[in-house]
Structures are given as C-alpha cells and as structure tokens.
C-alpha cells in the first residue's frame, strides 16, 4: 500500500519533512524563533492579549501554520478539520462526506467558480472540485501551504479545477460579485473581526449566491467564571491559532450585520453517532495511531 495516498487520515510521507534538521521553512533555529514569537502572543506577562492577537492576526496565523502544517498532514491528512461521524463510517469517510455535503448545500456544479476561504493545503478544495466539477479558488495567506497545495493539485491531476490566491482574507484583491459561491471550513474563526470577514465575503459573492461554512464556536454552556472552562477555551485558542472563540449568537449576529440572510444554521457537534473529537482519543489502527497521545508524543520526540 502506498501510504502517501492516504490523504485524509495521515500522510506518512510527511515524516521526512518534520524530522529532518532543516526543512522547507528554514533551520531549526528559525522554527524555534517562530514558536517563541507565537507563544508570546498568548502570554500575558509578555504583552499577549486578545487585542494583540487580533491586531497581529496575519503574523499569528502564518506562524501557527508554518509550525503546524507538516504535523497536520502527517497525523491528520490534507483536510485540516473535524467532522461528525456515523456508525461504521471511517474517519476518512466522515471528512469527505462533511466536505461534499457542503458542496451539495451550496449547489455547486460544473461551470461555477467558488472561493474556499482559508483553504489550507487544499484537501477540501480537491474533494469538492472532484465531486462538483466546479472550479475552486483556494484563498490562503500562507506561502508554505500554497506551495504544498499546488504540488498536491498537480500530483492528483486537479490543477485545472483547483487554483490558489495568496491574500489576506480580510482584504481580498477581487472585484465585487466575483464568485458563484463561497465557503469556509473552520477558517473564519481566525479572523480578528467577524463582521469584517463576513462583509468581505458578502462583497465577493454574486447577488443571490450562497455562502456556507463550518464555524468553531464555544457553546452557550460556557461560563467565563468557571476556571476549568476558561482553561479549556484558552488551550483550544493557543493550540489552533485563534484570537478568541465566540458563542453562536455572536456569529449569527455578525453574519446578519454583514448583509446575509441566514437560510439555515445548526449545531453539528451532536449530530454524529461518534463524537467529532473521537479521532483525538486513543486508537491503534495503522494510521489512527498517529492521532493518539502516544503517537503525538513519539512524533514530538522524533522532532527534538
């Protein structure tokens, strides 16, 4: 079996990229400096704060993905997101279904041009392009991920349907009314201003076109006075390069303020038979092992 073809549950061919002493992003000293700068954005003793993270969101997100991209591909796959999972459904199947369902809801089809906001290395873009035959433009401000994505598009034979645009998603260099549809998968949670990002998306859509996405939120059960809740929230923000997680009502209000009519919204966390976070629990399948605590520990030791 060619393990490099396992695009969704982990690409073992990326092991070389994360273990060699010098990689595509520079020397280990460069990587250590990037890590130090990134962590400081969350350290209040060093001036880190929500305001600082929002003002430096481009630096923060780029630093995060410079550090995390190869690890994500190695241990998770080319689609950097979660998905609810049904009984007897594989991890890979749930990820692909999650992406194709979004394409179906957006009514994507051949001849349409859609924008993938915050596309990563293009895993969802390739699945959606193959499923719908629409042309997908991947919007990304991280040069390393675009380099990886272009290579993967060529390798899989989808370069004619998948392209990249390097830009800040708060200031996209496209004319108004450019796209037939726009989607995002766990990407706009990185935005420093939710109304601002949604207004930009609204501007780019053709009149009457659809925008859909999967947004990270904290539930209404979150208690800001509960130390354990606050600790978990901060851990998610630090671990995923997020300025601040918001509650659902904040996201819905921001969409409306940006000009959108909300056709449908749903909390997907409880819709699967298997929790969305299950892949992070202990598992000893050949590639699922990479998701486990031991798998992550051994990966870390190999990179020291």
């Amino acid at each position: 079996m060619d393990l490099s073809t396992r695009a969704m549950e982990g690409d073992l061919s990326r092991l070389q990229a994360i273990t060699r002493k010098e990689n595509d992003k520079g020397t280990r000293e460069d990587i250590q400096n990037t890590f130090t700068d990134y962590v400081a954005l969350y350290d209040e003793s060093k001036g880190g704060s929500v305001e600082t993270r929002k003002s430096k969101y481009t630096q923060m997100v780029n630093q995060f993905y410079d550090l995390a991209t190869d690890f994500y591909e190695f241990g998770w796959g080319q689609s950097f997101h979660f998905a609810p999972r049904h009984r007897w459904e594989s991890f890979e199947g749930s990820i692909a279904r999650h992406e194709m369902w979004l394409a179906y809801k957006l009514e994507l089809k051949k001849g349409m041009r859609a924008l993938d906001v915050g596309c990563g290395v293009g895993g969802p873009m390739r699945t959606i392009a193959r499923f719908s035959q629409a042309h997908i433009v991947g919007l990304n401000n991280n040069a390393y991920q675009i380099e990886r994505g272009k290579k993967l598009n060529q390798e899989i034979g989808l370069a004619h349907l998948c392209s990249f645009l390097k830009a800040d998603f708060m200031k996209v260099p496209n004319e108004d009314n450019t796209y037939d549809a726009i989607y995002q998968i766990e990407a706009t949670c990185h935005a420093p201003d939710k109304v601002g990002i949604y207004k930009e998306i609204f501007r780019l859509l053709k009149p009457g076109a659809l925008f859909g996405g999967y947004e990270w939120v904290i539930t209404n059960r979150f208690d800001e006075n509960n130390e354990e809740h606050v600790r978990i929230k901060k851990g998610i923000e630090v671990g995923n390069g997020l300025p601040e997680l918001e509650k659902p009502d904040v996201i819905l209000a921001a969409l409306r303020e940006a000009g959108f009519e909300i056709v449908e919204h749903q909390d997907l966390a409880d819709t699967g038979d298997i929790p969305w976070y299950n892949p992070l629990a202990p598992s000893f399948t050949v590639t699922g092992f990479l998701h486990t605590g031991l798998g992550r520990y051994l990966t870390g030791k190999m990179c020291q």
Side-chain angles (χ1 to χ4, degrees):
M1 178 177 64
D2 180 3
L3 293 174
S4 68
T5 65
R6 300 186 63 82
M8 291 182 185
E9 197 175 356
D11 181 353
L12 302 187
S13 71
R14 300 309 294 156
L15 181 61
Q16 181 183 7
I18 63 176
T19 56
R20 61 188 184 226
K21 290 188 177 180
E22 293 190 6
N23 67 13
D24 302 306
K25 299 180 291 295
T27 66
R28 287 199 172 191
E29 182 179 357
D30 293 333
I31 295 171
Q32 181 60 52
N33 289 338
T34 297
F35 176 77
T36 300
D37 291 344
Y38 173 76
V39 171
L41 292 170
Y42 292 88
D43 187 341
E44 292 182 4
S45 69
K46 296 180 180 178
S49 66
V50 172
E51 292 72 24
T52 301
R53 293 193 292 276
K54 287 184 176 181
S55 68
K56 297 183 177 180
Y57 73 95
T58 300
Q59 170 192 330
M60 180 179 69
V61 174
N62 267 301
Q63 287 177 333
F64 175 76
Y65 282 111
D66 280 349
L67 292 166
T69 293
D70 288 325
F71 289 96
Y72 274 16
E73 279 197 74
F74 171 64
W76 198 262
Q78 294 169 13
S79 294
F80 301 167
H81 63 82
F82 292 95
R85 188 170 157 194
H86 300 302
R87 194 179 303 276
W88 310 120
E89 185 177 38
S90 68
F91 171 80
E92 293 178 331
S94 71
I95 293 291
R97 174 184 49 76
H98 200 56
E99 296 164 358
M100 289 187 283
W101 176 251
L102 187 56
Y104 168 74
K105 297 296 286 185
L106 291 173
E107 303 175 2
L108 292 180
K109 59 186 177 182
K110 188 173 184 178
M112 295 178 69
R113 188 174 183 86
L115 184 69
D116 179 337
V117 176
C119 64
V121 296
M125 172 171 65
R126 286 183 287 277
T127 298
I128 288 173
R130 186 187 290 110
F131 173 77
S132 68
Q133 291 298 295
H135 184 98
I136 312 298
V137 179
L139 177 63
N140 195 326
N141 205 24
N142 184 272
Y144 181 66
Q145 288 195 338
I146 290 176
E147 177 189 342
R148 283 287 302 148
K150 286 181 176 179
K151 181 175 184 293
L152 293 166
N153 287 349
Q154 289 288 346
E155 288 179 354
I156 205 169
L158 284 174
H160 65 296
L161 287 178
C162 300
S163 59
F164 287 93
L165 173 63
K166 187 180 187 304
D168 179 350
F169 61 13
M170 302 295 292
K171 297 172 288 188
V172 182
N174 283 143
E175 298 293 329
D176 295 357
N177 311 325
T178 295
Y179 295 99
D180 299 301
I182 298 179
Y183 67 87
Q184 68 85 19
I185 302 178
E186 300 177 14
T188 54
C189 50
H190 292 287
D193 174 7
K194 295 300 188 294
V195 175
I197 181 63
Y198 295 141
K199 279 186 174 180
E200 185 67 350
I201 290 169
F202 189 85
R203 178 186 72 80
L204 294 167
L205 276 171
K206 293 179 180 179
L210 294 171
F211 165 59
Y214 299 123
E215 183 73 56
W216 274 39
V217 296
I218 50 174
T219 74
N220 291 321
R221 290 173 287 181
F222 175 77
D223 180 359
E224 62 183 15
N225 296 313
N226 184 310
E227 291 184 2
E228 181 67 4
H229 287 194
V230 172
R231 183 190 67 79
I232 292 171
K233 176 176 178 285
K234 183 175 181 180
I236 293 171
E237 290 166 349
V238 174
N240 294 277
L242 308 177
E244 185 176 27
L245 285 167
E246 305 282 6
K247 290 186 176 181
D249 288 348
V250 173
I251 301 302
L252 295 174
L255 284 163
R256 292 188 179 100
E257 186 176 342
F260 284 102
E261 172 191 355
I262 298 179
V263 177
E264 180 181 340
H265 68 90
Q266 181 184 13
D267 180 358
L268 295 179
D270 298 321
T271 60
D273 301 311
I274 301 171
W276 59 268
Y277 51 82
N278 181 263
L280 297 176
S283 171
F284 286 92
T285 62
V286 173
T287 52
F289 169 74
L290 301 176
H291 304 166
T292 68
L294 178 59
R296 294 192 295 272
Y297 170 78
L298 292 175
T299 299
K301 296 299 288 184
M302 286 188 291
C303 296
Q304 288 181 355

